Amino acid sequence: MLLTELLSPSAEGLGRAARHLAEGRLVAFPTETVYGLGGDARDDRAVASIFAAKGRPAFNPLIVHVPDMSAAARLAVFSDQALRLAAAFWPGALTLVLPMRDDSGLSPLVSAGLPSVAIRMPAHPVAVALLHAFGGPVAAPSANPSGRISPTRADHVMDGLGERIAAVIDGGACMVGVESTIVGLSPRPTLLRPGGIPAEAIEDCLGVPLAAPDPAPARPNAPGQLSSHYAPAAAVALGVTAPDPGDVWIGFGPLSGASGLNLSPTGDLVEAAANLFHYLRAADRRAGPDGRIAVAPIPEKGLGRAINDRLRRAAAPR
């Protein structure tokens, strides 16, 4: 059992976090989407420790985080479409699934044995500073027990993974609040997971519509594809406009004003995404394992697609 350090995003704290990574230990750090659980993506033992700490199935690939395009190009082969998306959305909340270079040096555990790698260049200044301080690629899924609500604050990480990992860098609340959008480009551009970049913006950049992923893949080729995910302990009901007595209601928009938890009283999807996981945690504490969380309808557009994707997985049978 580890005594998990809570580090500040100072030069001293980042240096200590980078040393933990260099010595094969795990460090949680903020990105603009959610907190990630980082380990050296080249170190088999470190990557195996990520799966063990989260209780994550080893067939579920990880995202590799890099600080700049030159680091990304050493790991993956970029097509013209991939370069266009990277130029438009990196650094930012977009993950690209690309062919992995034979000489990438990545642990095969990162890609779950697949010939592709999921790669992202985060925009959060703390994440970027850590990547530069460490000087190598960092594999980092969300810093929470597998299948549970993703963390958007340092205390969420400590609640879920404290005593399993070496350190958490406290960078405050995450700005976007839902994980990155994941796009695959072979054989055609495909939305593998909706997320922090609206699919419409990606389609505008490419000039073609994104294909839908296989609804039931034999094995995941990107994170976030398991049917039950992001789940609180309480049951979750979706599209509820009139909650039952005893429900803990998460509202959306001005008509949900009586709810103590409202993702956005003004109906702002950006605000709703930023609040989603924090409010799910708060509702779960109020409901308890035998209670029910009722969630108001969310528009299926823009960031609403990512919010609804997370909610459907949170409500799925477990």
Side-chain angles (χ1 to χ4, degrees):
M1 188 174 292
L2 295 171
L3 180 62
T4 302
E5 294 184 88
L6 187 63
L7 301 174
S8 75
S10 63
E12 180 181 357
L14 290 166
R16 184 158 181 78
R19 288 193 294 276
H20 279 310
L21 292 173
E23 293 169 5
R25 292 188 285 272
L26 305 184
V27 174
F29 60 96
T31 77
E32 67 276 24
T33 57
V34 299
Y35 274 71
L37 177 59
D40 186 343
R42 304 160 298 190
D43 182 335
D44 288 342
R45 289 176 64 89
V47 177
S49 295
I50 293 173
F51 287 99
K54 284 177 61 69
R56 182 185 179 99
F59 59 75
N60 198 2
L62 305 178
I63 295 174
V64 176
H65 292 66
V66 295
D68 51 45
M69 191 63 199
S70 62
R74 289 194 292 270
L75 304 179
V77 178
F78 281 74
S79 64
D80 289 343
Q81 287 181 321
L83 289 171
R84 194 182 315 166
L85 291 175
F89 299 111
W90 279 1
L94 175 67
T95 294
L96 296 175
V97 176
L98 303 171
M100 184 164 46
R101 290 193 178 278
D102 292 339
D103 59 352
S104 70
L106 296 174
S107 167
L109 297 174
V110 166
S111 62
L114 297 169
S116 57
V117 60
I119 192 164
R120 179 161 98 88
M121 187 192 304
H124 197 292
V126 175
V128 175
L130 176 62
L131 290 167
H132 280 297
F134 174 57
V138 172
S142 56
N144 57 293
S146 185
R148 294 300 179 183
I149 304 170
S150 298
T152 55
R153 304 182 184 197
D155 63 297
H156 297 167
V157 181
M158 295 294 280
D159 286 346
L161 294 179
E163 300 183 339
R164 299 189 203 178
I165 64 178
V168 181
I169 305 172
D170 188 352
C174 298
M175 298 168 286
V176 175
V178 293
E179 292 85 353
S180 60
T181 303
I182 302 181
V183 172
L185 295 169
S186 179
R188 58 176 295 193
T190 301
L191 181 65
L192 298 176
R193 179 181 74 184
I197 303 292
E200 295 91 335
I202 296 168
E203 291 173 333
D204 287 346
C205 177
L206 293 176
V208 296
L210 292 170
D214 182 346
R219 59 184 294 192
N221 60 355
Q225 295 183 320
L226 300 181
S227 59
S228 178
H229 208 39
Y230 318 108
V236 178
L238 305 181
V240 177
T241 56
D244 293 339
D247 282 349
V248 178
W249 194 32
I250 299 178
F252 176 80
L255 297 181
S256 302
S259 170
L261 295 170
N262 191 322
L263 293 173
S264 175
T266 63
D268 182 339
L269 290 171
V270 174
E271 181 183 21
N275 286 329
L276 176 63
F277 289 135
H278 186 60
Y279 283 14
L280 272 176
R281 287 173 179 273
D284 198 32
R285 287 194 297 271
R286 295 184 191 182
D290 298 323
R292 190 177 85 149
I293 300 167
V295 186
I298 308 294
E300 188 73 19
K301 64 180 182 179
L303 282 177
R305 293 176 68 177
I307 295 168
N308 284 322
D309 172 78
R310 304 312 190 269
L311 288 171
R312 283 190 290 268
R313 295 177 195 274
R318 304 163 199 170

